[in-house]
Amino acid sequence: MLYVSALSLLVIASGPLLGHAQTIVAVNGTASHPIPKTLWGLMYEDISHSGDGGLYGERLQNRAFQQVAPGTTQALNSWSAIGGALIEVVADTIPLSSALPNSLQVLIPEGAGEVGVENSGYYGIEVNPAWTYNASFFYRFPSILPSGSIAANISLVGAESRTTFAASSVTLNPTADWTQVTTSLTPNSSASDINNTFTVTLDGAAFSGVVNFGLFSLFPPAWMGQENGMREDIAQALFELKPSFFRFPGGNNLEGESIATRWQWNATIGPLVNRPGRVGDWGYVNTDGLGIYEYLIWIELMGMQPIMAVWSGYALGGASVPEADLAPYIEQARQQIEFVVGNTSTPGGALRASLGHSKPFILNYVEIGNEARFTCDFISAAPSTYRSYRWASFVDALQNEYPSIRFIATTRYNNPVLAPKPKSYDLHVYQTPTWFRQNGGYYDSVTRDGTTFFEGEYATTSTNSSNLYGIPEQGRLIYPTVQASVSEAVFMMGFERNSDIVFAASYAPLLGHVTEHQWTPNLLSFDSEQVIKSTSYWVQQMFSANKGDWYLPSTLANTAGTLFWSVVKQDTPLAFILKISNAGTATASLVFELPSAVASSGTLIQLQGSATDSNTPDNPNLIVPVTSTIAAKQNLTFTAPALSLSVITVPLA
Ligand code: AHR
């Protein structure tokens, strides 16, 4: 136990207070270490429509018919015909671009009225009269041209009521070549629900024949006005977490089911017509509209820094690239890094500058791959090839080229041996509330030898340890619960205590659409118009917003118990910050023996509820932290309610 000072003894006072045993917490005034600025951040990948249909501002699903099989029903996902139009996705004889070979062919029969197509978005579209949406699409007339220009009407309408909330008219010229039209839509009122569609219609009396459409878009204002940027409410909720880093692009979604479908940075940049998209790892097509450049710009706007992953020669379906064939993949990773940090005299830096960002982005951390569990060969082939050549091949080449970047090896289990010895590891854990309470001390006994740790994924996924990766009917959590979240807080206190070696930690997954449960629970859930901040979101926020600057050793808690705490010191304004997690079902009383005199009052932020309470779409604010003023003194007595996390900030006198 590295931080057990002379004061650090667990003492349960014999004298009762309010009928309960009182826990005495002696706090050492000498900090053991500074708390890294990077400690609390975000893990992101496109999972459960967290990117397309989530963080990414685009509101139309299947907007460019990427990676679908023409002629199939699945290719028409989210699209339907209006009036008597006949619609089909075709492999166009004149593709919009080599990246976007498919288009939506609309046959307007003779004598038709108002006909066209509509898109239902990602399970609905929010109609907000405070917004002006940018709308656009490409079109061409592949066979018979209209005799002159014709009008197309673009609208937002109620899917069932057919109420028009916003409308605009654009002119289509008689051309067989691809042409883009853009317009804006400002709703005149809000809709009563999200059951709305985006429509494009033509007057069948003005033209009958075939029109091909490609790359539609409906974009509300993006967070901070970023071009091709992020959905405002989701980005704002993330901003309010005060995150310091953003791990991207995965997670499993980096890896691809096959080598060909891996995430490739260079397929995600430039004009949207140049982005083919890919079949993601979580059961749907990724548009890659949210590409590496958009991520990096947003990371900068958010005041975060990236923890960026490079693909490491293994696909989830089980294929490892043989050692002799790795070179092009290492080169692709090198180019990815050069794109981020190269100066403008390098090809990568020049490419970045051509997109609008001459200055290199900050890049201190690069993770090589995802979840090669070194001693778990029974899970997949990933560990053995990572151990025997993939880690070494990538890190040797990249470290040599970028000596100032810290390269992170992926998840380790059971003290693996990797050569060269990684400077940092990324560890992941999905467990039960009990496990998190009992393992807050996981890093206490880890050897201090210069290796640092990133807890890149952690979350309570079930109350049942045999069902951590199971299905909801068998106990898998859909939304975080109070019991789960206050238990995660215990694990997080362990990161604070060990933040001399734990430099970063992030809950996972970050975001999930309420309709798409590829993985639950998520820190934030959302539908087309609301964001649900989970109890774990609030716990993360309470830690991140009250990070402090120095860790102060204090009496260690009994890991078999349910009451835990952590004390840090903040420089500006000078204050002690006490965090207390009571994961038990009874009130608990503590006395903090602070190392110096304090002001007579402080601030208490408290999250509390019943064990199974969750914030859900029907009750998104059931459990939120409550802020109050609290009396303070150097020997500070505090009563922690059952199932609660409390953060007390006490200014120094
Ligand atoms: O967070 C969900 C998944 O869990 C990640 O994609 C993967 O890294 C882990 O197994």
Side-chain angles (χ1 to χ4, degrees), residues 1-3 32-36 39 439-446 448 451-453 491-504 551 556 566:
M1 295 293 173
L2 273 165
Y3 303 122
S32 56
H33 59 272
I35 293 175
L39 189 55
N439 285 275
Y442 174 82
Y443 286 100
D444 292 349
S445 55
V446 170
R448 269 58 179 172
T451 313
T452 62
F453 298 90
F491 202 48
M492 295 166 74
M493 288 172 184
F495 302 154
E496 274 190 349
R497 187 167 62 255
N498 291 283
S499 58
D500 59 322
I501 57 169
V502 179
F503 70 95
Y551 185 75
L556 284 173
S566 173

Side-chain angles (χ1 to χ4, degrees), residues 364-559:
N364 296 318
Y365 302 99
V366 170
E367 180 159 356
I368 296 183
N370 178 59
E371 286 195 347
R373 298 170 164 90
F374 311 131
T375 52
C376 295
D377 291 348
F378 62 91
I379 291 178
S380 71
S384 61
T385 54
Y386 200 80
R387 240 185 354 239
S388 56
Y389 62 87
R390 289 192 294 116
W391 160 254
S393 303
F394 274 86
V395 79
D396 284 346
L398 298 176
Q399 187 76 79
N400 186 43
E401 185 105 5
Y402 296 101
S404 63
I405 291 177
R406 200 162 179 106
F407 288 92
I408 303 171
T410 75
T411 313
R412 72 171 202 170
Y413 286 95
N414 306 335
N415 299 318
V417 179
L418 275 185
K421 183 172 161 39
K423 292 181 180 156
S424 300
Y425 286 98
D426 172 9
L427 277 70
H428 300 171
V429 59
Y430 295 100
Q431 264 293 351
T432 62
T434 306
W435 189 96
F436 281 112
R437 285 200 305 275
Q438 291 175 346
N439 285 275
Y442 174 82
Y443 286 100
D444 292 349
S445 55
V446 170
T447 309
R448 269 58 179 172
D449 64 357
T451 313
T452 62
F453 298 90
F454 170 32
E455 193 78 26
E457 298 180 22
Y458 63 94
T460 307
T461 51
S462 176
T463 51
N464 166 6
S465 61
S466 64
N467 191 39
L468 295 171
Y469 304 93
I471 52 175
E473 290 71 28
Q474 292 168 6
R476 176 77 177 236
L477 300 181
I478 300 296
Y479 298 97
T481 61
V482 167
Q483 185 192 48
S485 306
V486 298
S487 302
E488 287 154 11
V490 178
F491 202 48
M492 295 166 74
M493 288 172 184
F495 302 154
E496 274 190 349
R497 187 167 62 255
N498 291 283
S499 58
D500 59 322
I501 57 169
V502 179
F503 70 95
S506 43
Y507 182 102
L510 180 63
L511 296 163
H513 196 288
V514 296
T515 316
E516 290 278 340
H517 289 158
Q518 274 96 50
W519 187 286
T520 62
N522 298 286
L523 198 63
L524 283 171
S525 301
F526 57 87
D527 63 18
S528 293
E529 67 176 356
Q530 76 164 329
V531 176
I532 301 117
K533 296 173 175 171
S534 70
T535 49
S536 290
Y537 169 94
W538 290 118
V539 165
Q540 293 285 324
Q541 209 248 10
M542 287 164 76
F543 272 75
S544 181
N546 298 286
K547 185 168 67 62
D549 299 292
W550 304 93
Y551 185 75
L552 300 183
S554 62
T555 309
L556 284 173
N558 176 3
T559 52

